[in-house]
Amino acid sequence: TRDPWGHDDSANYLKHALCQIEVERQQSIATRFDRDGQIERGSLVDPWEPLRALTHNLLPHLRFEKIDTSNRNLVQCLWKVHGSEVIVDIDELSSGEKSVIQMFYPLIEREMKHLLAQIGAGQEPGIRPELCVLIDEPELHLHPNLQLKVLDYLRVLTTGTQTQVIVATHSPTIVEYASFEELFLLRPVELVNQEENQLVR
């Protein structure tokens, strides 16, 4: 049996990272309560909202439920299967489902931590720095419809933010769905003069 806290692969890292968000959520609530003596009903933001939105947009057959820490030796990241009462741990998701969550985790983790800061401070934190995310071959483990959803979701995540996403792909599905403004060809360095850019729209 695998150690649920292990870091032997990216799926384990993801589970550990999600559990760390839950620990930070509980600490932020305690910090605020200790400082203010009370927390008004409805005043806390939901730091899990970015993960819920990710699941809704890309994996609509699932709904994120919670991190179950009732058994410290077997912490679980639970999703509910749409249309049923079945609850599954992240370890039970398919490789494609886990791949989608792993791919977007750096973006939603940043947003979740921003929301956690709001819980602890009780107010909106300062301006977030610019962010550039590189994603290599997002099409791996994903069927064509899900590849299109990934591209749409990237557009949603970056609209109105100071976030740039660079995707390297061999997928004809993604290439055909990209707009002219989004699509660049990376030319081999041997075919480019020193003063020219390897990227060509």
Side-chain angles (χ1 to χ4, degrees):
T1 302
R2 179 178 95 189
D3 173 9
W5 294 106
H7 297 106
D8 58 336
D9 59 27
S10 56
N12 275 342
Y13 170 77
L14 177 62
K15 187 169 190 176
H16 176 78
L18 290 171
C19 291
Q20 287 301 109
I21 293 290
E22 178 60 20
V23 168
E24 289 179 38
R25 184 187 75 85
Q26 293 176 13
Q27 288 174 343
S28 296
I29 292 170
T31 298
R32 184 160 162 189
F33 184 81
D34 290 346
R35 185 188 67 229
D36 300 342
Q38 66 177 5
I39 298 176
E40 290 185 31
R41 187 180 193 87
S43 66
L44 295 179
V45 295
D46 179 11
W48 295 112
E49 184 52 39
L51 183 58
R52 293 184 207 285
L54 162 67
T55 307
H56 175 75
N57 280 284
L58 297 177
L59 305 169
H61 58 287
L62 298 173
R63 186 180 77 225
F64 175 73
E65 282 289 301
K66 64 178 181 176
I67 305 296
D68 182 3
T69 59
S70 57
N71 179 354
R72 291 297 176 101
N73 295 317
L74 186 62
V75 175
Q76 295 184 303
C77 305
L78 300 176
W79 271 261
K80 189 172 186 178
V81 179
H82 179 68
S84 75
E85 295 302 312
V86 176
I87 304 287
V88 294
D89 183 40
I90 193 170
D91 292 330
E92 300 170 287
L93 298 180
S94 71
S95 58
E97 291 164 338
K98 284 188 272 196
S99 176
V100 166
I101 299 168
Q102 289 165 341
M103 186 186 325
F104 287 104
Y105 186 73
L107 284 170
I108 65 168
E109 180 185 46
R110 182 172 185 248
E111 184 61 27
M112 288 191 291
K113 290 198 177 215
H114 183 78
L115 293 169
L116 285 170
Q118 286 184 51
I119 292 174
Q123 60 188 14
E124 181 81 18
I127 298 172
R128 283 171 276 186
E130 296 179 357
L131 180 68
C132 181
V133 179
L134 308 177
I135 302 177
D136 187 30
E137 298 185 347
E139 65 269 18
L140 297 179
H141 308 293
L142 305 183
H143 59 75
N145 285 343
L146 192 47
Q147 291 177 34
L148 299 183
K149 286 184 177 183
V150 162
L151 200 53
D152 280 336
Y153 186 59
L154 283 172
R155 292 172 179 141
V156 168
L157 283 179
T158 56
T159 300
T161 68
Q162 295 191 19
T163 302
Q164 179 184 40
V165 178
I166 299 172
V167 175
T169 183
H170 295 284
S171 166
T173 303
I174 291 177
V175 170
E176 288 174 13
Y177 194 59
S179 70
F180 182 73
E181 293 77 22
E182 295 170 328
L183 196 57
F184 290 82
L185 175 68
L186 179 63
R187 296 181 295 175
V189 68
E190 298 82 11
L191 301 179
V192 179
N193 294 328
Q194 193 171 14
E195 65 279 0
E196 289 183 310
N197 195 326
Q198 281 182 262
L199 288 174
V200 179
R201 181 167 285 174

